[in-house]
Amino acid sequence: MTAPRPVDVLVVGAGPAGLAAAARLAAAGAGRVEVLERETRPGGVARHCAHGGFGTWTHPLTGPGYARLLTRAAERAGATLRTGVTALDWAAAGPVLTTVGPGGPETVEARAVVLATGARERPRAARLVPGTRPAGVYTTGELQQAVHLFGQHIGTRAVVVGASDVSYAAAGTVRAAGAEVVALVTEHPRAQTGRARARTARLGHRLPLLTGTTVTELLGHGRLSGVRVRHRDGRTTVLPCDTVVFTGDFVPDHELARRGGLTLDPGTRGPAVGAALHTSRPGVFAAGNLLHAVEPAGTAAREGARAAGAVLDFLAGTPWPDPGVPVAVEAPLRWIAPNRVTPAAPQARHVLRTRIPLTRPVLYVHQDGRLLHRERRPTALPDRTLTLGARWHERVDPRGGEVRVSAG
Amino acid sequence: MTVTAAGPLPQTPYDVAIVGAGVVGCAIARELARHPRLRIALVEAQDDVGQGTSKANTAILHTGFDATPGTLEARLVREGYARLGAYAAETGIPVERVGALLVAWDEEQLAALPRLAEKAQRNAYPDTVLLGPGELYAREPHLGPGALGALHVPGESIICPWTTTLAYATQAVRAGADLHLNTAVQHVRAADGHLLTTSRGTLRARHLVNAAGLHADTLDRALGHEDFTVTPRRGQLLVHDKLARPLVRHILLPVPTALGKGVLVAPTVYGNVLLGPTAEDLDDKRATGSTADGTAALREQGRRILPALLEEEVTAVYAGLRAATGQEDYRITAHPGQAYVTVGGIRSTGLTASLAIAAHVTGLLADGGLDLGPVREPEPVTMPNLGEAFPRPYQRADLIAADPEYGTLVCHCERVSRGEIRDALASTVPPRSLDGLRRRTRARAGRCQGFFCGAAVRELFERGARP
C-alpha cells in the first residue's frame, strides 16, 4: 500500500449533504477539503431528478440545477472534488480511508471524515416480491438515470409500485419517456402525497391509483409480461405491462459506515448520531440521507452545513463527545433522527417516520417513565416527513435510560 | 472460434453434436475438443451457456461424502471433485475450501451423524470429524441456539458455477468447437447419422450426446427410449448481501432425515450468503419463479440456523429446477447402435462431476465407434476472477497502472470496473443480455440491483464499452 496522503477533511459523497459540508468547511478555512464521489459527476440523486421541487421558493430549481449550484459553491469555496474515486474501506484506526480510481489505489489520511453516502431504494429482491426474474424491473433511481441521463428506451406500459412523492416523480419519468403509466399501486388506503398532487395526477394526467393493493407476483420469461396484484378484498388481477418501477422504501447506503464499525441506529439503519452529527468513531461525522432515508435535498444540505460546524469545532480542539442518550421510537413510528441526545449539541429538530397514517397525532417523549415533552403535530403519512422539536433536550438526564418517543 | 446465435447452421455434418450447453454439455464439448480431428457442435436452445440448472444451484464443490456408495454418481462426483479442483486452480475459477458442517438440531439428527461419517468412509472420504456443541459454536459463533453437534466435512468447497461453465465453453470454442445458441432441437431422425431439425434449420451429426438437462427425457423419447422421466424439482434460494458474509464460515448443511432434507446456509465465492433451497416437485419445466410461501418457509428455517441473517438485505431470490428422475443415480446410457449417448438425471452434483462425466461420456462415444484421433491439449484459459478470496481488478495496482479502466468502477455494490465489462463484451463467448453480463462480471448483482449503476451498465452493454 502507498504511504497515506494527508488532507484536513475528507467528505465521502458529493450529493447535497457532502457538497454543502465541503462548501462551508472550505470557506471557513478548514484547510485541504476533498470530496470523493464514485460517480462520474457530482450531485448525488439530485443529478437525475429532472423535475422541480429543489432550491427555494424564490429560486426554484430542478434536481440537476440544484446539483450544479451546490457543486459550483463547493468548488468556489476551494474544496477539491474528485469524481470517479471510490472510498473502499478504512485503515485500522482513525479517519483514514483507502480509495481507488483510474489513478490507482490510495490511502487518504484525514483529520476528520464526513460520511455523506446517501440512500437508495430497496429493489424488488429485497422486498421479496415473488415471481420470475424478467427484464423491465426498475427502481426510480435506475429509471431516472436511464431516461434523463442516457435517453434509453424503457418499455411501453409501466406499473409504478408506490404512491409517495417519489412514485409520482417516477410516473412523470415514465410519461417523459413516452410510455404509458398503467397504474400506481399502493397497499396504503390513500396516496402518500399532497392532495393537490394526487388530484392532478388522477384527473389531469389520468393516472389510475390502486389503493389497498399489493403486488404479489412478477410474470414473464425474458421480458416482464405483467404483474399480479391482490386487492384489499382478496381479489387478484393481472395488470399487463412490460415495465415495473419499485419506488420509495429508501434505506441508507451504509456499507462504508458498517465497514468502519460505526454504531448504527436500529431504526434508521444509518449511523447513530446526535444533533452535531458525531458518529461513534472519533473523527468521523455523518450527514444527509445516510442518516434518514429519505428527506428532501434541502434538509440534507442544511445538515451537511451543520456537520461542517461540528467538524470545525473538532479541528479547533473540541473533544469528541460521549455517545449520549439513545432516542428510540415506539410503533407505529419507524425511526427518528438524530437518535442520540448529547448535552452540548445544537437543538436541531428531529425527523421521524410512521408506518401508518396518523391523524393530528400527539407525540410523547419519555425517559425512564418520566414525561419530558408532548407536542401535537399535523396529520402524518407513511413516507412523509414528521418532525419533532428539540426543546425537551435540556430535560434529558444524561445518566438516565433511553428516551422513548411514542404517538398517541 | 465460432459462436453463432442467428442465421442458418452449417450443413457439413459434424462428428458429434451435443445438445445442451449447461455445465455438463460444455464439459463434454471441452473434453472432445481435445481431439483436434473431431468436428463438434454444441447446440443450445437459449441465448447463453449455463442458462438452466447450471446457473441456479447451490454452487458447491462436493466431496461426494454423502453419495450412495457404489453408484456411478458416487464415482463421478469423487473423480470430478479432484479434476475440477485442479482445473479451477489453473483456470482462475474461484474456489474456497471452507468445509461443511452438518448441524444436528435434535437427537435423531445427532444419532445420524456417525452413520454419515461411516457412509463417507465407504465413499473413500475418511476426513470427517464429529464435533460437540462447544467446538461447533467456536467455529460458528452466530449459529442459532440449540445445536447439539455437527459432522465436519473439511473438503466441501464453494465454487463459481458461472465461470466454470464459461471456462469449459471458452476452451471448447477456442479449440475449434462450434457453439450454436438460440438453437432449440425440435425433431431428430436417423439419416446417415442424426438429422436434427432445430429452430434454426437442420444440423447433421454422426454421433449425438443428449445433455439437455430438464429436457433430456423428451429428447431421449424422440430417439425411441422410455428410460426415465424428468420431474423438475424447484429449489428457491435467497441470496443475502455481502455484509452478511462475516456471519458464517462454513457451508451449514442440514442432516438428512426421514422427514426431508432441510435447507442449507452457505457462503458464495462472491461474498454473499445463500439460504435454501426448497424442494418442490412440479410439472412445468419453465416454473423458475419464486413464491411467497417458498421464501417465507426458507426464512423461517433460516431464522433457526442463523438468526442474524434475517436482518440482512436479500439481493436476489432465484429458483432453479433440478432434473429429478426418481432414481438414485445418474442416467448415463450409451446406445452404440444409434451412435447416441444419454446423459440424464444429472442432479445437483452435476457441477462437481462435470469433468468426470465428460471423460466418461467420451469413453462411451469411443466404445460406440467414434474415432477420437490424436489428442492435443487445448490452450489453457485464464478466466476473469469474480471471487472475493482472490484479488479483483479494482484491488490490483499493477493492472490499474497498465489500464486505468480497471480502476474506473461502474457497479459500486460489487465493485465492477469498466475494464471488466469491456473485456466480457469482447470475450470468446460474449453475453447477449444484461443477465449474461452479470454472470460474467457481477455487474448489477449487488444490494442496489441497479439503483446506482443499472442505467450506466446497460449503456455499456448496448452501446459498447469503448470510450
Side-chain angles (χ1 to χ4, degrees):
Chain A
M1 190 70 7
T2 48
R5 184 171 60 82
V7 302
D8 291 291
V9 186
L10 190 63
V11 179
V12 185
L19 290 171
R24 181 169 171 196
L25 285 162
R32 184 172 174 85
V33 177
E34 207 167 279
V35 188
L36 302 184
E37 172 53 55
R38 61 190 190 180
E39 299 292 345
T40 50
R41 285 166 171 273
V45 165
R47 79 193 193 290
H48 51 74
C49 292
H51 52 79
F54 293 82
T56 60
W57 283 107
T58 46
H59 277 282
L61 291 166
T62 63
Y66 187 62
R68 279 192 296 274
L69 181 81
L70 291 177
T71 304
R72 270 202 304 274
E75 282 176 332
R76 250 190 231 136
T80 306
L81 248 63
R82 300 182 63 213
T83 54
V85 178
T86 304
L88 296 171
D89 211 340
W90 303 80
V96 184
L97 283 161
T98 57
T99 70
V100 73
E106 201 177 33
T107 303
V108 185
E109 185 171 355
R111 296 168 65 204
V113 165
V114 179
L115 285 185
T117 52
R120 60 180 176 81
E121 290 166 298
R122 294 177 75 232
R124 175 267 178 113
R127 302 179 192 213
L128 297 176
V129 176
T132 54
R133 298 174 73 194
V137 183
Y138 288 84
T139 51
T140 314
E142 181 176 357
L143 176 82
Q144 288 182 337
Q145 293 186 58
V147 173
H148 300 309
L149 300 187
F150 294 105
Q152 291 166 0
H153 175 73
I154 58 151
T156 57
R157 287 170 53 82
V159 167
V160 175
V161 183
S164 59
D165 289 321
V166 66
S167 321
Y168 284 92
T173 300
V174 168
R175 287 158 44 83
E180 177 195 349
V181 177
V182 177
L184 284 87
V185 178
T186 176
E187 61 200 36
H188 293 296
R190 55 164 287 195
Q192 272 61 66
T193 188
R195 293 198 187 274
R197 184 173 204 175
R199 194 164 49 239
T200 308
R202 198 174 63 245
L203 302 176
H205 300 146
R206 299 183 189 284
L207 302 185
L209 170 67
L210 300 178
T211 56
T213 304
T214 315
V215 174
T216 57
E217 190 180 2
L218 301 194
L219 306 167
H221 291 274
R223 182 79 193 192
L224 184 74
S225 62
V227 298
R228 195 186 305 281
V229 296
R230 188 177 55 235
H231 302 284
R232 201 176 4 230
D233 59 10
R235 277 181 309 124
T236 64
T237 335
V238 171
L239 304 176
C241 59
D242 56 14
T243 302
V244 61
V245 191
F246 287 90
T247 69
D249 198 358
F250 282 89
V251 287
D253 203 36
H254 63 192
E255 177 172 7
L256 206 54
R258 285 185 70 176
R259 283 175 177 265
L262 271 59
T263 304
L264 298 190
D265 178 74
T268 62
R269 304 287 288 153
V273 292
L277 307 173
H278 302 83
T279 70
S280 62
R281 184 170 171 133
V284 180
F285 299 78
N289 283 330
L290 171 62
L291 300 176
H292 39 63
V294 291
E295 289 292 315
T299 306
R302 280 191 295 280
E303 215 166 60
R306 183 143 51 86
V311 171
L312 292 168
D313 291 344
F314 174 65
L315 295 180
T318 305
W320 201 255
D322 290 334
V325 178
V327 185
V329 293
E330 292 177 6
L333 299 175
R334 289 174 56 209
W335 52 256
I336 184 168
N339 28 52
R340 293 286 187 276
V341 175
T342 41
Q347 294 208 337
R349 65 173 194 174
H350 298 261
V351 291
L352 302 90
R353 282 294 183 285
T354 173
R355 199 172 295 285
I356 56 169
L358 299 174
T359 308
R360 293 192 42 73
V362 178
L363 297 182
Y364 297 91
V365 183
H366 285 90
Q367 185 185 31
D368 300 325
R370 186 165 57 95
L371 180 67
L372 303 183
H373 179 68
R374 50 172 292 170
E375 184 177 338
R376 185 172 289 282
R377 302 300 306 159
T379 293
L381 297 176
D383 304 319
R384 296 211 102 193
T385 304
L386 169 64
T387 62
L388 172 66
R391 291 193 309 276
W392 48 273
H393 282 194
E394 60 201 28
R395 291 193 280 281
V396 172
D397 175 0
R399 283 168 304 281
E402 180 179 80
V403 170
R404 299 193 69 82
V405 179
S406 56
Chain B
M1 289 201 279
T2 311
V3 181
T4 73
L9 298 168
Q11 284 311 297
T12 337
Y14 287 96
D15 294 305
V16 187
I18 304 151
V19 179
V23 71
V24 170
C26 290
I28 294 168
R30 178 194 162 276
E31 181 70 28
L32 290 173
R34 294 172 64 235
H35 303 276
R37 248 189 243 155
L38 295 180
R39 289 195 70 241
I40 302 149
L42 180 56
V43 178
E44 168 56 46
Q46 303 209 49
D47 70 349
D48 200 356
V49 298
Q51 280 277 51
T53 312
S54 304
K55 75 172 178 187
N57 50 66
T58 52
I60 292 172
L61 182 59
H62 294 287
T63 56
F65 78 97
D66 63 345
T68 306
T71 57
L72 179 64
E73 181 182 20
R75 173 167 77 79
L76 294 181
V77 169
R78 190 165 61 243
E79 287 177 23
Y81 175 81
R83 280 177 183 249
L84 182 49
Y87 181 76
E90 80 184 40
T91 311
I93 299 167
V95 171
E96 287 183 54
R97 305 204 173 261
V98 291
L101 295 170
L102 282 95
V103 181
W105 296 95
D106 58 35
E107 291 296 337
E108 187 198 350
Q109 293 177 0
L110 192 64
L113 294 183
R115 287 201 299 279
L116 284 163
E118 190 257 330
K119 188 178 184 186
Q121 286 275 6
R122 283 193 282 144
N123 280 317
Y125 188 81
D127 299 340
T128 59
V129 184
L130 286 166
L131 304 181
E135 197 173 343
L136 171 59
Y137 280 97
R139 282 178 173 274
E140 290 291 355
H142 297 281
L143 195 68
L148 305 178
L151 182 68
H152 184 212
V153 190
E156 292 287 290
S157 306
I158 54 177
I159 187 168
C160 177
W162 307 325
T163 307
T164 304
T165 308
L166 200 59
Y168 296 160
T170 301
Q171 223 172 5
V173 169
R174 286 191 190 166
D178 288 353
L179 170 60
H180 299 303
L181 300 167
N182 295 327
T183 307
V185 175
Q186 292 155 341
H187 309 286
V188 187
R189 90 185 149 78
D192 188 21
H194 301 277
L195 177 66
L196 278 64
T197 306
T198 79
S199 53
R200 288 176 54 199
T202 57
L203 184 141
R204 288 173 180 279
R206 284 184 268 278
H207 293 259
L208 184 65
V209 176
N210 173 358
L214 290 169
H215 304 283
D217 57 341
T218 312
L219 185 57
D220 212 39
R221 284 203 184 90
L223 282 127
H225 305 284
E226 296 276 344
D227 290 350
F228 63 97
T229 299
V230 175
T231 308
R233 180 170 296 160
R234 181 164 63 189
Q236 303 184 41
L237 285 129
L238 300 174
V239 186
H240 296 80
D241 186 18
K242 287 181 294 176
L243 292 167
R245 179 66 180 84
L247 295 175
V248 61
R249 298 175 185 169
H250 305 75
I251 301 161
L252 303 179
L253 294 174
V255 179
T257 63
L259 289 175
K261 271 199 83 174
V263 304
L264 63 81
V265 171
T268 71
V269 292
Y270 327 108
N272 305 103
V273 178
L274 290 179
L275 169 61
T278 57
E280 310 153 63
D281 285 331
L282 306 172
D283 300 323
D284 183 356
K285 290 178 179 175
R286 273 162 54 95
T288 53
S290 58
T291 63
D293 290 348
T295 53
L298 290 179
R299 283 170 71 80
E300 192 52 44
Q301 296 187 69
R303 194 183 304 280
R304 172 158 197 202
I305 302 167
L306 204 64
L309 187 61
L310 278 285
E311 302 301 315
E312 299 295 340
E313 288 280 84
V314 170
T315 57
V317 181
Y318 65 87
L321 300 175
R322 284 105 86 192
T325 57
Q327 314 279 337
E328 279 300 298
D329 203 353
Y330 292 164
R331 309 286 301 187
I332 303 179
T333 313
H335 304 280
Q338 269 182 304
Y340 168 59
V341 178
T342 308
V343 190
I346 309 297
R347 313 184 295 181
S348 54
T349 51
L351 170 61
T352 301
S354 50
L355 286 176
I357 294 172
H360 180 66
V361 168
T362 303
L364 294 176
L365 286 168
D367 294 346
L370 175 67
D371 178 10
L372 294 171
V375 171
R376 187 180 65 208
E377 287 306 326
E379 288 291 308
V381 292
T382 304
M383 300 303 288
N385 170 41
L386 304 188
E388 289 293 299
F390 308 90
R392 306 253 327 274
Y394 80 89
Q395 295 169 314
R396 291 181 53 188
D398 57 328
L399 212 56
I400 300 170
D403 185 349
E405 293 277 280
Y406 293 114
T408 305
L409 300 193
V410 179
C411 166
H412 301 293
C413 300
E414 298 298 301
R415 296 180 173 173
V416 183
S417 65
R418 225 178 122 90
E420 290 162 274
I421 293 173
R422 175 201 62 198
D423 293 351
L425 295 175
S427 63
T428 304
V429 186
R432 284 179 168 71
S433 69
L434 282 171
D435 284 340
L437 182 63
R438 171 172 55 78
R439 291 191 295 272
R440 284 160 177 82
T441 61
R442 289 172 49 179
R444 296 171 59 108
R447 66 185 75 90
C448 92
Q449 290 284 299
F451 176 89
F452 292 117
C453 72
V457 171
R458 186 180 303 107
E459 196 67 9
L460 293 175
F461 176 72
E462 287 175 356
R463 297 191 194 164
R466 300 255 165 228

